[in-house]
Amino acid sequence: MKYSGQILGIVAAMLWSVSACAGEVLHVYGPGGPFPAMQATAQAFHEAHPDVEVQVVAGPLPKWREQAMENADLIYSGSENMMTDFLTAMPKLVDEATIIPAYLRPAAILVHPGNPQKIHDFEDLLKPGISVMVVQGAGQTGLWEDIAGKNGNLDTIRKLRANIVYYAPNSADALQRWTGKDAPDAWIIYNIWQIAHPKVAEIVPLGPRHVLYRDMDLSLTQRGKANPVAAEFYRFVLGPQGKAIFTRFGWRD
């Protein structure tokens, strides 16, 4: 992971020995997509520093906004536009100088186990009779449109839109629909959701003509900036151990 000298300087200036802060509890907030990897990283940090507990709360912003305003040490996002929205919704909470794009994941097509509709690529989503679900909010705002319009073909956008049967407000809502009675044939979302829920979906890659990547931002809050243990966890997420965990969950740097 390569991060700027400015951020390195900020973190280095804040770092003390974690052992000096026994019994510390860190509070981390963000969306559900990166949560499995972030939770695993928090557990690994706790195992390395047993006196420090990292509590990760995930979900749509309204679920945790009020709590985060009171005690957040770190905030992570599911995309750049999401982090920008966080700055607007929670003014003066995040230390903007510490915001860093941490890891990327690709968008993909999820299909039901066994791929009953034999969907093998993006073009199959445009066929008549194929039902598609997309997520219209959170870190996927505009994602399906960008995928369909990537090559400048308006007809592709028209055909995909005609096959979309559900616009989920967030990924957690989409997962409920996916496992319910009115499940669509295909779901455009990030690969990490299949990795986190392997029993309910299989991955079909979008292919190089249509695949898009979006990142996860990581940041310290003003409270976290003043906390050397929070700074140590921030560095841990971005470092070799954090990278290995995020890679296992489908992310890349």
Side-chain angles (χ1 to χ4, degrees):
M1 169 65 63
K2 296 179 180 179
Y3 33 106
S4 73
Q6 179 185 17
I7 292 177
L8 276 171
I10 292 170
V11 174
M14 293 186 290
L15 288 178
W16 296 350
S17 171
V18 173
S19 62
C21 300
E24 183 79 20
V25 178
L26 299 180
H27 299 277
V28 183
Y29 297 89
F35 173 75
M38 186 62 72
Q39 179 67 13
T41 307
Q43 180 60 33
F45 187 80
H46 173 67
E47 291 171 0
H49 307 287
D51 291 330
V52 179
E53 180 184 356
V54 182
Q55 296 182 355
V56 184
V57 176
L61 178 60
K63 173 184 175 181
W64 49 262
R65 178 185 178 277
E66 184 174 346
Q67 188 177 358
M69 292 293 291
E70 294 180 0
N71 66 10
D73 295 295
L74 293 94
I75 298 289
Y76 66 90
S77 74
S79 66
E80 289 296 326
N81 71 284
M82 181 185 287
M83 180 56 79
T84 301
D85 287 344
F86 287 169
L87 297 179
T88 300
M90 299 177 288
K92 300 182 180 180
L93 176 68
V94 171
D95 176 28
E96 295 189 39
T98 66
I99 297 173
I100 182 170
Y103 298 105
L104 289 166
R105 78 287 206 199
I109 303 165
L110 300 196
V111 297
H112 294 283
N115 196 0
Q117 296 300 323
K118 307 304 178 187
I119 295 169
H120 299 296
D121 53 32
F122 175 79
E123 281 68 27
D124 286 338
L125 300 184
L126 310 181
K127 295 178 179 179
I130 296 295
S131 58
V132 180
M133 176 171 62
V134 299
V135 179
Q136 68 173 358
Q140 296 169 71
T141 301
L143 183 66
W144 75 264
E145 178 184 358
D146 289 346
I147 291 169
K150 185 176 178 181
N151 296 295
N153 189 329
L154 184 60
D155 190 53
T156 300
I157 299 175
R158 289 171 174 167
K159 287 180 178 179
L160 180 58
R161 184 177 184 88
N163 283 352
I164 296 173
V165 297
Y166 187 60
Y167 297 84
N170 55 62
S171 300
D173 178 88
L175 182 61
Q176 288 187 336
R177 183 65 172 257
W178 184 251
T179 55
K181 294 181 179 180
D182 298 322
D185 300 320
W187 178 10
I188 296 177
I189 195 168
Y190 300 116
N191 67 322
I192 59 174
W193 281 87
Q194 188 278 333
I195 293 171
H197 306 280
K199 294 182 179 180
V200 302
E202 297 177 4
I203 290 180
V204 174
L206 281 164
R209 281 177 51 82
H210 294 283
V211 68
L212 292 177
Y213 293 82
R214 287 189 180 172
D215 70 337
M216 180 199 85
D217 277 329
L218 181 68
S219 68
L220 288 162
T221 63
Q222 298 296 338
R223 165 190 164 110
K225 179 181 177 180
N227 184 341
V229 184
E232 182 71 15
F233 180 65
Y234 173 93
R235 188 174 69 165
F236 186 88
V237 175
L238 298 172
Q241 291 169 287
K243 177 182 176 180
I245 294 170
F246 272 82
T247 298
R248 176 158 52 90
F249 282 88
W251 297 78
R252 51 168 287 188
D253 64 0

